Every structure is written in structure tokens, then in C-alpha cells.
């Protein structure tokens, strides 16, 4: 019988409020589709907080970028135009405006963890993409429990349970521990994409880079499988 395609697992350390995480994920998804691996690859999202100290209601994006990176309004506008163009090429709609705000994503990470634990990787993936859309396309406040519950329901998750998970913060400690674990492994920027637990790609890489890294990872996995079955 023909040999099975070696199993591929991809871990993505990401923040819901990070536009480059959207570009990175959508490029990776496009790469997997192009390689015929979209249905056989396990993709898992893991938490990273870019702005853990943001208060409820968030902060004006332009003000935030000026404070954190020293960006002026022209630089900010140019960056948003570039992201919008990249998003369009990948089928994702960024809708920035002069009123765009940036939010604390701590609750969103707890929701994503719950989705993975209660409904599996595919549901977490669906929720992740809907959260990206809620924030970057619809401009929704993703630190707000009713908004998060509504997005969870849109993903086909139980709205009442989603609300309970967020209001009682039942996964706060485990999500905090998971985020700390990735930092301890040296992850300090997002997106960080780890292929088969070995190959690390940082930043929103182009499709060619993802394809080459995946090809190498599959070759390594095939070689290991061959060695394991050899007498």
C-alpha cells in the first residue's frame, strides 16, 4: 500500500489583536491548501499577550503606536495601507479607521483555550478566525464579554457556557501558565510558527518560506518513520 503522508502539526503562538498574526496564519493556510495538506494538518493556537496592561475599553490605535513604537500618523497610515493590501491578497478584509482602538486580549485567549479543550482544534481554528474578523474587519471590542460570547456563538459554541467561562475566569491560570511556557521556550514575538515541534518561523513569512519549512519537516518525519520500521 502507498506510504502515508507523515503527520504534520503546527503550533502558532499568536495574539488576537496582532494584524501580522492574521497575515501569517492566512498565508500558512493558503500554503497548506496549495500543498494538499489542509485537511491532514493539526493546527493549534497558543496565547501571547502583546498588550497585557491595556485597561477595559482599550486605547486609540494611533496613540498606542506612538507611545509604544514612536510611530507618527503618516507611518501609521502607511502601515495600515500595507496590511490592508496584504489582507486583500489573502482574502481577509482589514478595515482600519482613524477611530480604530486596540484592546486587551486576555479574555479572548481564555475563550480560545476553552474552545480547544471542549470542542477540538477545528473549532478553535474557526473561533480564532472569527475573532480576527470581529476585531479587524468589524471593529468590535474584543475585550468585551458580550462581544466574545456572540463570536463564540457564531462559531457554533455554546453561548451560555462561553459566558460562564469568561465571567468566572476558570481557565485564567492554565492560560497564564501556557503563555509563560512559550515565553520560557524563547518565544518573544508573534506570530511564531512551530512545525512538528522543531522548526521555528517568526513573523509573517511568505508562502515560499512556509512551503520550504513544511517540505523539510515532512522529509524529516518520513526519514524517522523509515528508521523506526527498519529492522
Amino acid at each position: 500500500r502507498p506510504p502515508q503522508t507523515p503527520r504534520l502539526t503546527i503550533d502558532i503562538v499568536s495574539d488576537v489583536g496582532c494584524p501580522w498574526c492574521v497575515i501569517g496564519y492566512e498565508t500558512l493556510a493558503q500554503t497548506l491548501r496549495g500543498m494538499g495538506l489542509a485537511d491532514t494538518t493539526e493546527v493549534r493556537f497558543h496565547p501571547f499577550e502583546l498588550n497585557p496592561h491595556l485597561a477595559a475599553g482599550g486605547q486609540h490605535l494611533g496613540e498606542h503606536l506612538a507611545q509604544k513604537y514612536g510611530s507618527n500618523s503618516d507611518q501609521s497610515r502607511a502601515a495600515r495601507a500595507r496590511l490592508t493590501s496584504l489582507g486583500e491578497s489573502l482574502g481577509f478584509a482589514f478595515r482600519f479607521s482613524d477611530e480604530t482602538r486596540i484592546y486587551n486580549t486576555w479574555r479572548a485567549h481564555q475563550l480560545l483555550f476553552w474552545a480547544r479543550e471542549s470542542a477540538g482544534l477545528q473549532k478553535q481554528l474557526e473561533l480564532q478566525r472569527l475573532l480576527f474578523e470581529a476585531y479587524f474587519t468589524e471593529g468590535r471590542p474584543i475585550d468585551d464579554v458580550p462581544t466574545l460570547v456572540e463570536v463564540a456563538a457564531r462559531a457554533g459554541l455554546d453561548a451560555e457556557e462561553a459566558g460562564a467561562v469568561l465571567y468566572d475566569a476558570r481557565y485564567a491560570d492554565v492560560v497564564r501558565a501556557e503563555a509563560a511556557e512559550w515565553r520560557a521556550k524563547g518565544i518573544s514575538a508573534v506570530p511564531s510558527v512551530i512545525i512538528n515541534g522543531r522548526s521555528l518561523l517568526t513573523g509573517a513569512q511568505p508562502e515560499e518560506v512556509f512551503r520550504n519549512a513544511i517540505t523539510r519537516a515532512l522529509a524529516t518525519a518520513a526519514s524517522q518513520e523509515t528508521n523506526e520500521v527498519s529492522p
Side-chain angles (χ1 to χ4, degrees):
R1 66 188 173 88
Q4 287 184 312
T5 303
R7 204 166 94 167
L8 190 65
T9 60
I10 297 181
D11 293 282
I12 305 175
V13 185
S14 162
D15 195 358
V16 179
C18 163
W20 292 106
C21 292
V22 179
I23 299 296
Y25 168 68
E26 293 296 345
T27 305
L28 172 64
Q30 185 169 284
T31 306
L32 291 171
R33 287 194 297 271
M35 296 177 77
L37 297 168
D39 295 332
T40 56
T41 301
E42 281 190 2
V43 178
R44 298 180 291 238
F45 279 89
H46 303 282
F48 189 99
E49 278 191 284
L50 283 169
N51 301 292
H53 305 301
L54 281 178
Q59 184 182 17
H60 183 272
L61 180 60
E63 183 184 299
H64 175 80
L65 293 174
Q67 280 182 5
K68 192 168 183 178
Y69 304 109
S71 305
N72 63 36
S73 58
D74 286 344
Q75 290 169 323
S76 177
R77 204 169 287 118
R80 290 185 299 187
R82 184 176 172 221
L83 282 162
T84 300
S85 176
L86 282 168
E88 278 176 12
S89 73
L90 292 161
F92 187 91
F94 285 103
R95 294 205 181 109
F96 296 108
S97 78
D98 290 339
E99 303 309 312
T100 296
R101 299 184 71 77
I102 190 161
Y103 298 99
N104 185 297
T105 54
W106 178 230
R107 283 172 168 159
H109 285 305
Q110 293 174 63
L111 193 69
L112 284 161
F113 184 90
W114 164 71
R116 191 177 81 206
E117 292 300 295
S118 65
L121 294 176
Q122 197 55 42
K123 194 54 74 175
Q124 186 198 40
L125 195 62
E126 191 180 338
L127 177 64
Q128 177 73 65
R129 200 171 192 284
L130 287 169
L131 286 168
F132 281 150
E133 286 178 358
Y135 176 50
F136 289 108
T137 306
E138 299 168 10
R140 305 290 299 280
I142 50 165
D143 63 347
D144 173 65
V145 172
T147 297
L148 291 171
V149 168
E150 186 187 315
V151 178
R154 211 185 291 177
L157 293 158
D158 185 290
E160 193 174 329
E161 185 66 9
V165 161
L166 294 173
Y167 281 120
D168 67 20
R170 71 184 65 166
Y171 292 111
D173 289 345
V174 69
V175 172
R176 192 173 286 112
E178 187 180 358
E181 193 179 317
W182 287 105
R183 285 197 303 274
K185 289 177 180 176
I187 300 297
S188 60
V190 290
S192 286
V193 176
I194 303 98
I195 301 170
N196 277 1
R198 291 167 174 258
S199 175
L200 169 65
L201 299 172
T202 304
Q205 298 292 340
E207 192 169 335
E208 184 183 356
V209 172
F210 280 130
R211 193 185 308 113
N212 290 341
I214 290 167
T215 301
R216 286 195 302 271
L218 289 174
T220 300
S223 169
Q224 288 172 339
E225 286 187 6
T226 302
N227 293 336
E228 283 170 9
V229 299
S230 297

